[in-house]
Amino acid sequence: MSSKMSLAAYCVICCRRIRTLTPPPKSTTYWRDIRNLIKFTGSLILGGSLFLTYEVLALKKSLTLDTQVVEKEKMKSYIYVHTVSLDKRENYGITYQARKELHKALRKVLATSAKILRGPFADTFSTVDVEDHECAVWLLLRKSQSGDRAARLQAVQEMSETHHWQDYQYRIIAQACDLRTLIGLARSKESDLRFFLPPPPLPSLKEDSSIEEELRQLLASLPQTELDECIQYFTSLALSESSQSLAAQKGGLWCFGGNGLPYAESFGEVPSATVEMFCLEALVKHSEIPTHCDKIEANGGLQLLQRLYQLHKDCPKIQRNIMRIIGNMALNEHLHSTIVRSGWVSILAEAVKSHRIMEASHAARTLANLDRETMQEKYQDGVYVLHPQYRTSQPIKADVLFIHGLMGAAFKTWRQQDSEQVLTEKILEDEASYTTCWPKTWLARDCPALRIISVEYDTSLSDWRTRCPMERKSIAFRSNELLRKLRAAGVGDRPVIWVSHSMGGLLVKKMLLEASKKPEMSTVINNTRGIIFYSVPHHGSHLAEYSVNIRYLLFPSLEVKELSKDSPALKTLQDDFLEFAKDKNFQVLNFVETLPTYIGSMIKLHVVPVESADLGIGDLIPVDVDHLNICKPKKKDAFLYQRTLQFICETLAKDLEN
């Protein structure tokens, strides 16, 4: 009985299972299949779209470039080849090949859309195939031309810090980068010189012409009217003497005549170099006038000066004068593209890395005037930045200005103390004797947050050697001239400390008094924190009283006369400044020599006595050196330098902390 019941139960269960397995109606199956098909197809389309979108964006990012770059490349006379294995199987897998084929297919679509939308992609890229390892170069190029200034600066910094590229990759940047990028690379300390192409070939000299004759013709082509007396003097002297010398050379003779006689020994013995020096001195003066810079450029002056620069690699004086001219021309922004195209940036990029401080500083001044991306200041002739000479991420919090004295200069006055010299204008002619400049080497390292500027102006002990006989520049005249140049360089925008030697201290006093009378110069006064005086004759010097029969003191120049103890102008300057400095609470440090200085071979003189160096405020520190060496420490741990450094750090303590 129980077995029959079990069998019946089993049959009932089987019947239920069979009923359950009965297929649903056809309509239900049809819609389910459609849903499954839609899910599969949609996933496929979505995934494919995402993949295609990614590839299109990746390709566009890699190849969105200015088509002018490629057009320029077509015009180059050389091609940089990147060698790879001929067997593609060694380098590329299936994934790479598939991606490459996809890029080829999409490139035509991108080129067509660029035409319609006027985008940066053009036909010239229809055959371009950028490899993975090349993307960094082209992406940096594209970034360097971004509309975002921060992005451009970052791109230049990344380029300059790249040292693992192949030679041809540096050359790609050199050929394809724009003006801003090239100048930025030249002003970057770590930049590889392979970023800079050699200057283009210079035009040939005219038939039966020499470089001296062409230089003279360039000078003669400049306007000769509405010039100040000194420019007229330099121009007429250069034209007359160069004319005589060229004629003498052709006739086999050489002599100086007329006004050129006193300059014979100072400009050298080689006739061609002498002719060039005359013309360059005049061109320096002309290049201070913007309209004359335009004429120099239009008449081929940039190429001619470049030829002269390359020809006289062994003559630093000629090269410095040429750099001064280019630096003055760079003050005019509309000439920047012409200066860059003429190949000067590659020359400057090499010069700024020179171990010779004067050469590097002249190049740094010119590059700073060209760099309008990071610089607002303009450095006029005679104003040199000793630190920083490159672009830097170090915030600059204060300025220290160095002003030299009689017969001094922006570099040689502040060199490390060397062998004993005599007080004549023939000292320190040798380049090697003033390659050390302690403000640039020691002070910049000890206080990297400072901008260190050194100023240069012409002075003379005697009218016999005055550079321009019509030029009678008093302390008042020079102070106004320097103040204008320093304000253009941004002096007054930050806290300032003035460092001066000899007559330079009188100029500082006069500049500050003049600035106090001009509302536009108020920032110079408000930001002046302190002054260092190295043997400054506040109350006059015995130097002006000597009329001994030696040629350097036979006819004292105006500058020397103003230093005499009975000079009314000097007494007024001292009284006015002392009251002014007390009112403004300037911090002051005075050094004074205790040893006499040799003048010529016969006389020794205590140039600035202790009582004359006493301003009336601030510490007065006697030092056992002569007048020339009072501002030249023997070494870094010498008292002179360490006390100077202490004063600067203490006076600027709050400013450097902020």
Side-chain angles (χ1 to χ4, degrees), residues 380-398:
Q380 298 186 25
D381 191 33
V383 180
Y384 301 98
V385 178
L386 301 181
H387 173 81
Q389 293 187 334
Y390 298 97
R391 286 185 179 181
T392 178
S393 57
Q394 167 73 52
I396 302 301
K397 299 180 178 180

Side-chain angles (χ1 to χ4, degrees), residues 41 117 136 181 410 522 579 605:
T41 306
L117 301 175
T181 303
S522 60
E579 181 181 355
L605 171 68

Side-chain angles (χ1 to χ4, degrees), residues 271-484:
S272 62
T274 307
V275 174
E276 291 156 5
M277 281 299 296
F278 272 116
C279 293
L280 288 174
E281 289 281 357
L283 283 172
V284 167
K285 297 292 184 182
H286 279 276
S287 65
E288 295 177 358
I289 305 172
T291 55
H292 291 209
C293 290
D294 295 340
K295 289 285 186 180
I296 293 173
E297 184 274 324
N299 294 333
L302 289 171
Q303 291 76 19
L304 182 60
L305 291 171
Q306 191 177 124
R307 185 189 299 277
L308 196 61
Y309 185 90
Q310 302 290 9
L311 184 65
H312 290 285
K313 290 185 176 180
D314 58 343
C315 186
K317 283 186 177 180
I318 287 181
Q319 288 195 328
R320 286 198 295 270
N321 273 330
I322 293 172
M323 282 284 193
R324 287 175 67 187
I325 297 169
I326 303 300
N328 290 343
M329 294 180 70
L331 291 167
N332 305 283
E333 293 186 35
H334 66 280
L335 295 178
H336 286 187
S337 60
T338 311
I339 293 172
V340 172
R341 286 198 305 271
S342 65
W344 270 104
V345 173
S346 60
I347 296 173
L348 295 168
E350 183 177 359
V352 78
K353 296 180 185 295
S354 171
H355 67 280
R356 295 187 299 185
I357 289 175
M358 293 184 71
E359 181 182 0
S361 298
H362 279 274
R365 172 193 168 235
T366 305
L367 287 171
N369 286 337
L370 288 171
D371 185 9
R372 297 298 92 191
E373 182 85 329
T374 61
M375 304 291 294
Q376 287 77 46
E377 304 88 355
K378 290 188 176 183
Y379 298 99
Q380 298 186 25
D381 191 33
V383 180
Y384 301 98
V385 178
L386 301 181
H387 173 81
Q389 293 187 334
Y390 298 97
R391 286 185 179 181
T392 178
S393 57
Q394 167 73 52
I396 302 301
K397 299 180 178 180
D399 291 337
V400 177
L401 310 181
F402 287 81
I403 317 292
H404 67 78
L406 272 174
M407 300 188 320
F411 308 99
K412 72 178 185 180
T413 292
W414 312 106
R415 72 190 187 281
Q416 191 173 349
Q417 185 175 330
D418 45 30
S419 59
E420 194 158 280
Q421 303 285 353
V422 293
L423 185 60
T424 73
E425 291 189 302
K426 279 201 171 289
I427 64 173
L428 309 173
E429 291 286 329
D430 181 15
E431 179 83 17
S433 67
Y434 50 89
T435 52
T436 299
C437 180
W438 62 262
K440 184 179 187 300
T441 53
W442 301 344
L443 185 58
R445 194 174 298 119
D446 289 334
C447 300
L450 298 177
R451 180 177 64 156
I452 303 172
I453 292 177
S454 189
V455 173
E456 184 161 295
Y457 57 95
D458 295 328
T459 64
S460 177
L461 275 180
S462 169
D463 278 346
W464 274 19
R465 297 295 292 275
T466 300
R467 298 171 63 80
C468 176
M470 284 76 70
E471 188 173 36
R472 292 292 185 265
K473 291 191 175 179
S474 63
I475 290 175
F477 180 90
R478 290 189 187 279
S479 65
N480 280 306
E481 185 180 47
L482 289 179
L483 187 60
R484 174 181 55 81

Side-chain angles (χ1 to χ4, degrees), residues 407-624:
M407 300 188 320
F411 308 99
K412 72 178 185 180
T413 292
W414 312 106
R415 72 190 187 281
Q416 191 173 349
Q417 185 175 330
D418 45 30
S419 59
E420 194 158 280
Q421 303 285 353
V422 293
L423 185 60
T424 73
E425 291 189 302
K426 279 201 171 289
I427 64 173
L428 309 173
E429 291 286 329
D430 181 15
E431 179 83 17
S433 67
Y434 50 89
T435 52
T436 299
C437 180
W438 62 262
K440 184 179 187 300
T441 53
W442 301 344
L443 185 58
R445 194 174 298 119
D446 289 334
C447 300
L450 298 177
R451 180 177 64 156
I452 303 172
I453 292 177
S454 189
V455 173
E456 184 161 295
Y457 57 95
D458 295 328
T459 64
S460 177
L461 275 180
S462 169
D463 278 346
W464 274 19
R465 297 295 292 275
T466 300
R467 298 171 63 80
C468 176
M470 284 76 70
E471 188 173 36
R472 292 292 185 265
K473 291 191 175 179
S474 63
I475 290 175
F477 180 90
R478 290 189 187 279
S479 65
N480 280 306
E481 185 180 47
L482 289 179
L483 187 60
R484 174 181 55 81
K485 290 183 175 183
L486 291 174
R487 191 67 194 102
V491 172
D493 295 340
R494 307 182 186 93
V496 181
I497 284 185
W498 305 78
V499 183
S500 59
H501 173 236
S502 190
M503 193 185 81
L506 303 181
L507 281 175
V508 170
K509 291 161 62 175
K510 189 64 176 178
M511 275 192 283
L512 291 174
L513 286 173
E514 290 298 318
S516 67
K517 302 173 185 176
K518 301 175 181 179
E520 67 274 16
M521 297 289 181
S522 60
T523 56
V524 175
I525 301 300
N526 296 336
N527 277 319
T528 292
R529 298 289 188 267
I531 312 169
I532 298 176
F533 294 110
Y534 288 106
S535 284
V536 173
H538 301 292
H539 304 281
S541 169
H542 295 296
L543 185 65
E545 298 168 12
Y546 272 74
S547 56
V548 294
N549 191 21
I550 57 175
R551 58 178 177 171
Y552 295 115
L553 294 179
L554 188 58
F555 301 116
S557 65
L558 180 61
E559 293 99 332
V560 175
K561 292 175 182 176
E562 286 193 320
L563 299 182
S564 62
K565 287 183 173 294
D566 57 354
S567 169
L570 194 63
K571 186 178 187 309
T572 301
L573 176 63
Q574 166 61 16
D575 294 341
D576 291 348
F577 183 78
L578 182 59
E579 181 181 355
F580 175 70
K582 289 179 178 178
D583 179 62
K584 295 297 181 181
N585 195 29
F586 292 153
Q587 300 301 302
V588 175
L589 177 63
N590 303 280
F591 292 100
V592 60
E593 77 237 30
T594 61
L595 300 181
T597 302
Y598 282 90
I599 302 174
S601 57
M602 302 169 55
I603 297 175
K604 60 180 181 179
L605 171 68
H606 201 157
V607 179
V608 179
V610 174
E611 60 273 14
S612 182
D614 186 3
L615 177 65
I617 55 173
D619 292 342
L620 177 63
I621 303 176
V623 184
D624 291 334

Side-chain angles (χ1 to χ4, degrees), residues 46-336:
L46 181 61
S49 299
L50 291 173
F51 176 75
L52 289 174
T53 302
Y54 169 77
E55 291 297 329
V56 169
L57 292 175
L59 179 63
K60 198 165 185 177
K61 185 176 181 181
S62 300
L63 296 180
T64 301
L65 298 167
D66 189 344
T67 55
Q68 291 182 359
V69 171
V70 177
E71 294 302 325
K72 289 179 181 178
E73 289 294 325
K74 291 179 180 179
M75 299 175 65
K76 301 298 179 182
S77 59
Y78 40 81
I79 300 174
Y80 295 102
V81 180
H82 177 50
T83 57
V84 294
S85 172
L86 296 177
D87 187 357
K88 294 184 178 180
R89 291 174 297 179
E90 293 181 10
N91 303 304
Y92 311 133
I94 296 175
T95 303
Y96 175 85
Q97 292 295 338
R99 187 178 181 185
K100 189 171 182 179
E101 292 300 321
L102 178 62
H103 281 186
K104 287 180 180 179
L106 292 174
R107 192 170 288 112
K108 293 182 179 179
V109 177
L110 289 173
T112 304
S113 66
K115 283 183 179 180
I116 297 172
L117 301 175
R118 295 184 180 180
F121 200 93
D123 284 337
T124 47
F125 283 101
S126 60
T127 56
V128 173
D129 217 3
V130 178
E131 311 295 351
D132 284 346
H133 63 280
E134 302 290 1
C135 287
V137 175
W138 293 102
L139 285 175
L140 279 176
L141 268 173
R142 185 170 71 92
K143 189 176 178 182
S144 71
Q145 298 176 13
S146 166
D148 181 12
R149 177 177 175 273
R152 294 196 301 267
L153 294 178
Q154 179 65 28
V156 171
Q157 183 178 345
E158 290 178 18
M159 289 180 188
S160 68
E161 293 173 351
T162 301
H163 302 290
H164 62 275
W165 282 348
Q166 299 295 323
D167 182 71
Y168 77 95
Q169 291 174 302
Y170 289 102
R171 298 303 183 181
I172 288 173
I173 299 287
Q175 288 177 313
C177 70
D178 59 11
L179 179 149
R180 282 184 310 205
T181 303
L182 189 66
I183 294 171
L185 288 170
R187 292 200 69 234
S188 300
K189 189 173 184 178
E190 302 300 326
S191 286
D192 195 299
L193 289 178
R194 287 175 290 179
F195 279 123
F196 309 98
L197 295 175
L202 296 171
S204 301
L205 292 174
K206 297 175 184 176
E207 189 176 354
D208 296 330
S209 179
S210 66
I211 191 169
E212 296 90 353
E213 288 177 296
E214 294 211 357
L215 191 61
R216 183 183 182 280
Q217 290 172 9
L218 173 64
L219 181 59
S221 70
L222 299 178
Q224 305 299 321
T225 58
E226 298 181 3
L227 303 177
D228 68 34
E229 290 182 331
C230 274
I231 298 181
Q232 289 179 2
Y233 170 77
F234 275 110
T235 303
S236 62
L237 179 63
L239 292 176
S240 62
E241 292 299 341
S242 60
S243 177
Q244 291 180 32
S245 64
L246 289 170
Q249 289 179 66
K250 291 178 180 179
L253 299 172
W254 167 249
C255 63
F256 272 100
N259 293 331
L261 182 60
Y263 291 82
E265 58 178 355
S266 64
F267 281 154
E269 300 174 358
V270 181
S272 62
T274 307
V275 174
E276 291 156 5
M277 281 299 296
F278 272 116
C279 293
L280 288 174
E281 289 281 357
L283 283 172
V284 167
K285 297 292 184 182
H286 279 276
S287 65
E288 295 177 358
I289 305 172
T291 55
H292 291 209
C293 290
D294 295 340
K295 289 285 186 180
I296 293 173
E297 184 274 324
N299 294 333
L302 289 171
Q303 291 76 19
L304 182 60
L305 291 171
Q306 191 177 124
R307 185 189 299 277
L308 196 61
Y309 185 90
Q310 302 290 9
L311 184 65
H312 290 285
K313 290 185 176 180
D314 58 343
C315 186
K317 283 186 177 180
I318 287 181
Q319 288 195 328
R320 286 198 295 270
N321 273 330
I322 293 172
M323 282 284 193
R324 287 175 67 187
I325 297 169
I326 303 300
N328 290 343
M329 294 180 70
L331 291 167
N332 305 283
E333 293 186 35
H334 66 280
L335 295 178
H336 286 187

